[in-house]
Amino acid sequence: MLLGKVRSFKDTWGFLRSDSVSGDIFVGLRENPHLTTLAEGNTVLFDVRKDVRGKNEAVNVQPLLQVLEPAVPSRHSGWVRSFTGSWGFINSPSFSGDLFVGLRNNPQLSAALAAGDQVEPEG
């Protein structure tokens, strides 16, 4: 995976820059359905592949976690990115990156979650 920054993003597509690749790298939500949006200046991890025209395209884009202090202990909705055993990761449009979720700290969850499950705050 490469490290880069969002140079520009509008609606459902934009461009990344990375010291590891020369020029712009196209990024689109169609190729990254787990994302809802990106903002200029976001730091991201991503893989590069060539599109049908031979241009660089970012896939598996993962925004890096931002400081969460303003969010704790607030409530946010999102979706499960992955879940194995008793823990996993949730994504939310409120944050860049992954949020950890575990059954031990969430006794209201009666069973393990599955990738793609929508999650809402309790109460």
Side-chain angles (χ1 to χ4, degrees), residues 78-97:
W79 61 97
V80 177
R81 184 177 68 80
S82 64
F83 203 91
T84 304
S86 62
W87 61 275
F89 296 98
I90 292 175
N91 290 138
S92 170
S94 304
F95 301 101
S96 294

Side-chain angles (χ1 to χ4, degrees), residues 2-64:
L2 304 175
L3 180 67
K5 284 199 178 276
V6 177
R7 181 179 68 77
S8 63
F9 198 86
K10 183 177 181 185
D11 298 322
T12 61
W13 61 275
F15 295 98
L16 306 178
R17 296 291 245 161
S18 174
D19 291 339
S20 303
V21 177
S22 64
D24 287 335
I25 304 150
F26 176 81
V27 60
L29 296 185
R30 185 178 332 152
E31 296 80 14
N32 295 280
H34 59 284
L35 296 174
T36 56
T37 189
L38 292 170
E40 183 177 329
N42 285 152
T43 302
V44 294
L45 289 173
F46 60 96
D47 293 319
V48 174
R49 71 176 183 199
K50 298 288 184 184
D51 68 11
V52 294
R53 297 166 303 181
K55 303 282 184 177
N56 289 329
E57 176 178 50
V59 294
N60 303 320
V61 175
Q62 296 296 319
L64 290 183

Side-chain angles (χ1 to χ4, degrees), residues 86 100-109:
S86 62
F100 176 82
V101 61
L103 293 180
R104 182 175 25 170
N105 293 327
N106 293 284
Q108 75 279 9
L109 296 174

